[in-house]
Amino acid sequence: MPEFDASAVAVVDRVARQERRALIAALTRRLGADRIDLIDDVAQEALLSALTLWPYQGVPEHPGAWLRRVAWNKALDILRRQARQTDLSDDVLESLALSDFRRQDAPFDDARLEVLALCTNQSLKPLDQILLALRLVGGLTNAESAEALLMQRDAVGQRLARATRRLARDDTLVVSLPSRAVLAQQTEQWCSVIYLMFSVGYLPRHGQTALRQDLCLEALDLARALTAETSVPAGTPHALAALLSFQCARLDARLAAGDRPTLLGDQDRMRWDPQRRQDGFRYLKQARAASREPSRIHLEAAIAGCYAAAPSYEQTDWPAIVRLHEVLGRVWPNPVTKVGHAVALVEAGRAPEALALLEPLRGDRQLAVYAPFAMALAHAYRAVGQEDDARAMLTEAEAMAVSESTRQHIDALLA
């Protein structure tokens, strides 16, 4: 009997994080999003098979291909057993068994983008499109999607079930490239989904870690893939790639010892990734050239560019960031945008204005579970010397859904 290689367990864990989303995308390309439960099941079984076999047999040279083959064979076995209850005929099953994961008529080179196109089927409501894409492309659980969208977990599950039933009535085995007008509309949805994926990784609200780098980098990779597709309208994808490049450039500097978040002003800028920073400015230039009017993502990318351009925190152009936030508030009048605006006001020496912006929002239902709002308000209170109010807001933030490392960071602020 082959010896057990304990080092392979860590490899399986890493490969699972790297390959799961691509595996689900590849399966969805062939089976359709209406079979979401089957896709999830066989993907999980393939990963469990890897965890069982690889420590003894060794990690395959191409682990992603191994997982796709195992998952697909399991899917075919299930479909054959259910052939009498499914709408797939024996001929279709046979053609699927012989087909390759990379169809010759596929509209995109990247399977994940093809699944994004499938998820943004115009027969679905916009919110359902986002939820389906977060599940199939982002690999998020219902709980993670609920947290990202400030929804109840049960409501997410119900909407996904209805969406997949709706898709089951359509032919989802073949994804055709939509017209350019429809594609332009879908691109906005795709960018929203990718941005939500990044947000879940950048600020997890549960668990032990304050940062999920794998999810952040996956979102950046998807944004870059969008910019490479000539059929996708330029502009917003480039702005998103710029924004995520700037943010991902700071990932290594964002955590201190003990996995605690490090505030921007305390980060070691020598640990910022120079290539991603440079990519951010390149994508931002392309986004500006391709768009007549700035979108929310254009403006957020420009704000991130101001941070990236500053040689030190003290030399940050806070007045410019405040002006950009003022425009952002008009383009996207959302309570969450006011949080970043308020922080910029505090740093620009205008803390009373920050309080005037934030205090009326204390009854907002969307912000009642959003810890950064309470922390921003605490920051503003401390800037004007209202220490008791600041400590009260930090206590409220700690009681919200935050990761364990963020809770430790709040404890340090309260000490």
Side-chain angles (χ1 to χ4, degrees), residues 133-157:
L134 286 175
R135 177 79 175 273
L136 293 175
V137 182
L140 301 189
T141 65
N142 288 359
E144 290 170 331
S145 293
E147 291 165 8
L149 296 170
L150 302 180
M151 295 174 60
Q152 294 295 319
R153 187 186 310 184
D154 290 345
V156 170

Side-chain angles (χ1 to χ4, degrees), residues 17 174 219 292 336:
R17 291 195 303 269
V174 177
R292 294 181 179 177
V336 173

Side-chain angles (χ1 to χ4, degrees), residues 112-113 115-135 137-138 149 159 178 181-198 222-223 226 232-233 236-237 240 295-297 332:
R112 297 168 302 174
L113 298 184
V115 177
L116 268 178
L118 186 152
C119 292
T120 49
N121 186 303
Q122 296 300 294
S123 68
L124 300 178
K125 295 179 180 179
L127 178 56
D128 294 342
Q129 295 176 19
I130 290 175
L131 289 172
L132 195 60
L134 286 175
R135 177 79 175 273
V137 182
L149 296 170
R159 294 194 73 109
V182 172
L183 195 63
Q185 296 173 355
Q186 289 184 331
T187 301
E188 297 297 322
Q189 287 286 76
W190 299 347
C191 288
S192 295
V193 169
I194 295 170
Y195 195 2
L196 281 169
M197 282 175 54
F198 174 83
L222 275 170
L226 268 184
V232 175
T236 303
L240 180 64
S295 67
R296 165 207 172 188
I297 294 178
W332 197 58

